[in-house]
Amino acid sequence: MRDAVPEMAGALLAQLRARAPRVHCITNAVAQNFTANALLAAGCVPSMTLSADEIGGFVASAHGLLVNLGTLDAERRAATSIAVAAAHQHKLPWVLDPVFVDRSPGRLAFARNLVARGPRVVRLNHREFEALADTAAKRENVMAYARETRTIVAMSGATDLITDGTRAVGIGNGHMFMAKVTAMGCAGSALVGGFLAVEPDALRAAAAALLMLGVAGELAVRQAQGPGSFAAAILDALNTLDAPTLIAHAKVV
Amino acid sequence: MRDAVPEMAGALLAQLRARAPRVHCITNAVAQNFTANALLAAGCVPSMTLSADEIGGFVASAHGLLVNLGTLDAERRAATSIAVAAAHQHKLPWVLDPVFVDRSPGRLAFARNLVARGPRVVRLNHREFEALADTAAKRENVMAYARETRTIVAMSGATDLITDGTRAVGIGNGHMFMAKVTAMGCAGSALVGGFLAVEPDALRAAAAALLMLGVAGELAVRQAQGPGSFAAAILDALNTLDAPTLIAHAKVV
Amino acid sequence: MRDAVPEMAGALLAQLRARAPRVHCITNAVAQNFTANALLAAGCVPSMTLSADEIGGFVASAHGLLVNLGTLDAERRAATSIAVAAAHQHKLPWVLDPVFVDRSPGRLAFARNLVARGPRVVRLNHREFEALADTAAKRENVMAYARETRTIVAMSGATDLITDGTRAVGIGNGHMFMAKVTAMGCAGSALVGGFLAVEPDALRAAAAALLMLGVAGELAVRQAQGPGSFAAAILDALNTLDAPTLIAHAKVV
């Protein structure tokens, strides 16, 4: 599996560029602009509408959906309910990013209900996973959690871990500046939504998305003097990255 | 007309810098930051408040108004109604940007009602125009649409078309990166709002704004490695652009 | 006092980096992204949630609070009331940034009520101060206003003035590009919130924050061709700035 990931990701990247999938994003107010730019740079078409009377139509005409729980409010809760129902109706894959569930009990309960509604991928960090898993046994075993919830867990960290409970892929690409730019993880989740639109195997889609972001981050560092110039440079890198470069830089473990 | 556009635009740019008009923006959540920065770089003073109890006062003390329909929600619908009424009361010019009316029937109906309320300029792309025009005859004839609705249509594309139904100006400036940065069109519409504040002839104002943005885009490409660095560079170019440079680079057809 | 400010600010900067305080921000829609990135670059951990059912918990687990009145709406008004109460309950310092109170009577009344609830610092520009002070005598005397309201006034300008009514510090650092990037003042207020988390003397905290931002601005200009590249470069500079560099560049008057 692991040896095949770089070539697989390169092939999916080429498909993403060719198909330009529409990704509808319910995402937090801080991340909307950077997420839209990351999707555009990668070759996707973003939309961000949240209103209850429009979001069903936007989701119906999209190819992937992101549900990110940052700055969760009444409008976003209502939008999520409608959007997830529309995604199921139209067999649209969706990804959940349960931002800051470790800091809000209400959001944590909302996120757990969403996990039960069948996201293809849950992308989160280690603290968020610790909160989301509801027993000590699950907290200690990401693969068991993925098996039980029948979702792909994509957990970011020094090495990103992506697992469906049976298979597991680790991605060692990235740079510490990625934690110094707000919305970087959110943008990564949106990219997962884009790759889900071109690849039915959600583990492969998530691995390709996070590999693309991590390699773009490494290329961007060469142009950056700090997190501000890095944020611009990673968009440049997402735009120019091609399959051979992705494959050449991939660190899959 | 066409031969005179570059010099006219140069003169308006000088006026814009001198007068620093206040432009109030009802715009989508994705575009607010970039739009504010584009207005500041061009020499305008942006404000973005949406709340029903404040927007009338902000519009009353502004010199131009933008109504952009991206991420349209209940707050933005209410704000638009109040703001357009205030604009009419205070004889403030306003520009409509009917984002994504091709993807939402409810938004399309809202946009058509707004066109009937007399924006000075409607700035949009080709897909949005196709949706907005309600008959096949109008879809085939942008000038007829402009005549019938008594507005200026500014339609972006490889060549921007600006027409009042009698006169028509084409602008060939720009770069493909402009379609890779979210909110670029939205920022262009906001600049139209700024130029409307210094030029009563809305065709001239719209042409000057889109010429300024297109030339800034061409200058920005020289500093850019991709859409991320381009987004910063076009703000730099908007800030430094002067009348002679604008005139020298103008491609008016 | 003044001679000691640079070394004091350098020591506080080192503490900020070491402690990485959580700063919860109620801030305007235009400023959320840049403010989060400025806080991250400076070494803080931002959060931005506004919803009434979550904000109390976020504030309770934060170390500083920003209340910025830009794009004030019903959600932000409700959030502010809850957040300020939570801040008082948990003895959390908070900073008020009364954006555009000179352009909205309703916002001005809201801001005056907030001043009475005891922010540690009020950061604003000269026009906003003129509006906030309710008598001619106070308008002419910033120190008298600070004494009477028992708050620190931090007024930005060519020279920033920071006073508690008895002591006063002037900071001459900065660059004119800082007025050409939206949310720069908002980000400065957020940094005040970060420094309040590591320094109980609010005058010192505010002076350190504005000195850090001003020096970062001067360093950023060297990398910038205009306000777009400047916005990225000041984030880079906030990230790399250390105590010796801060002290070497400080212009305290």
Side-chain angles (χ1 to χ4, degrees), chain A residues 162-212:
Chain A
I162 302 141
T163 180
D164 62 0
T166 306
R167 300 171 294 171
V169 176
I171 294 178
N173 296 95
H175 186 269
M176 53 169 283
F177 278 162
M178 296 174 77
K180 284 284 213 174
V181 178
T182 196
M184 190 61 71
C186 306
S189 298
L191 288 178
V192 172
F195 278 92
L196 284 171
V198 298
E199 169 56 55
D201 181 339
L203 183 85
R204 289 170 175 262
L210 298 188
L211 188 58
M212 183 184 189

Side-chain angles (χ1 to χ4, degrees), chain B residues 26-28 31 34-35 39 65-70 94-102 107 111 114-115 118-133 142 145-146 149-164 169 171 173 178-179 181-196 202-203 205-214:
Chain B
I26 299 173
T27 195
N28 65 79
F34 187 74
T35 300
L39 286 171
L65 172 66
L66 165 69
V67 177
N68 173 301
L69 301 188
W94 60 287
V95 51
L96 174 66
D97 186 338
V99 176
F100 270 153
V101 286
D102 52 317
R107 194 181 296 187
L114 283 174
V115 171
R120 301 291 300 276
V121 177
V122 179
R123 202 217 59 84
L124 74 190
N125 65 32
H126 196 269
R127 289 187 312 278
E128 291 155 355
F129 177 76
E130 294 268 316
L132 197 61
V142 179
Y145 179 86
T149 56
R150 301 187 173 203
T151 189
I152 307 293
V153 176
M155 190 162 71
S156 55
T159 298
D160 296 336
L161 168 65
I162 301 141
T163 180
D164 61 0
V169 176
I171 294 177
N173 296 95
M178 295 173 77
V181 177
T182 197
M184 190 61 72
C186 306
S189 298
L191 288 179
V192 172
F195 278 93
L196 284 170
L203 183 84
L210 298 188
L211 188 58
M212 184 184 188
L213 190 67

Side-chain angles (χ1 to χ4, degrees), chain A residues 19-208:
Chain A
R19 291 204 213 163
R22 292 173 169 181
V23 181
H24 193 77
C25 303
I26 299 173
T27 194
N28 64 80
V30 186
Q32 288 176 307
N33 183 273
F34 187 75
T35 299
N37 278 327
L39 286 171
L40 284 168
C44 305
V45 179
S47 57
M48 300 265 163
T49 287
L50 298 173
S51 75
D53 56 341
E54 289 192 310
I55 194 166
F58 271 88
V59 171
S61 63
H63 306 103
L65 170 67
L66 165 69
V67 177
N68 172 301
L69 302 188
T71 66
L72 188 65
D73 53 23
E75 184 179 37
R76 285 177 168 84
R77 283 173 181 261
T80 296
S81 182
I82 298 167
V84 168
H88 286 164
Q89 187 189 338
H90 298 280
K91 303 194 187 307
L92 203 74
W94 60 287
V95 51
L96 174 66
D97 186 338
V99 176
F100 269 154
V101 286
D102 50 318
R103 287 188 64 187
S104 166
R107 194 181 297 185
L108 177 59
F110 189 74
R112 284 183 178 154
N113 282 335
L114 283 173
V115 171
R117 292 181 70 181
R120 301 290 298 277
V121 177
V122 179
R123 201 215 61 82
L124 73 188
N125 65 32
H126 197 268
R127 289 187 311 278
E128 292 155 353
F129 177 77
E130 294 267 317
L132 196 61
D134 56 356
T135 65
K138 287 185 201 162
R139 275 194 289 280
E140 285 173 20
N141 192 331
V142 179
M143 293 186 73
Y145 178 87
R147 270 197 307 275
E148 191 164 316
T149 57
R150 300 185 174 205
T151 188
I152 307 295
V153 176
M155 190 162 72
S156 55
T159 297
D160 296 336
L161 167 66
I162 302 141
T163 180
D164 62 0
T166 306
R167 300 171 294 171
V169 176
I171 294 178
N173 296 95
H175 186 269
M176 53 169 283
F177 278 162
M178 296 174 77
K180 284 284 213 174
V181 178
T182 196
M184 190 61 71
C186 306
S189 298
L191 288 178
V192 172
F195 278 92
L196 284 171
V198 298
E199 169 56 55
D201 181 339
L203 183 85
R204 289 170 175 262

Side-chain angles (χ1 to χ4, degrees), chain C residues 24 122 135 182 198 220 231 250:
Chain C
H24 193 77
V122 179
T135 65
T182 198
V198 299

Side-chain angles (χ1 to χ4, degrees), chain C residues 29-117:
Chain C
V30 185
Q32 287 175 309
N33 184 274
F34 187 75
T35 299
N37 278 328
L39 285 170
L40 284 169
C44 305
V45 179
S47 58
M48 298 265 164
T49 287
L50 298 173
S51 74
D53 56 341
E54 287 192 310
I55 194 166
F58 272 88
V59 171
S61 62
H63 306 103
L65 170 67
L66 165 68
V67 176
N68 173 301
L69 301 188
T71 67
L72 188 65
D73 53 22
E75 185 179 36
R76 285 178 168 85
R77 282 174 182 261
T80 296
S81 182
I82 298 167
V84 168
H88 285 165
Q89 187 188 338
H90 298 280
K91 302 194 186 308
L92 203 74
W94 60 287
V95 51
L96 173 66
D97 187 338
V99 175
F100 270 154
V101 285
D102 50 318
R103 287 188 64 187
S104 166
R107 194 180 297 185
L108 177 60
F110 189 74
R112 284 184 178 154
N113 281 335
L114 283 173
V115 172
R117 291 180 72 182

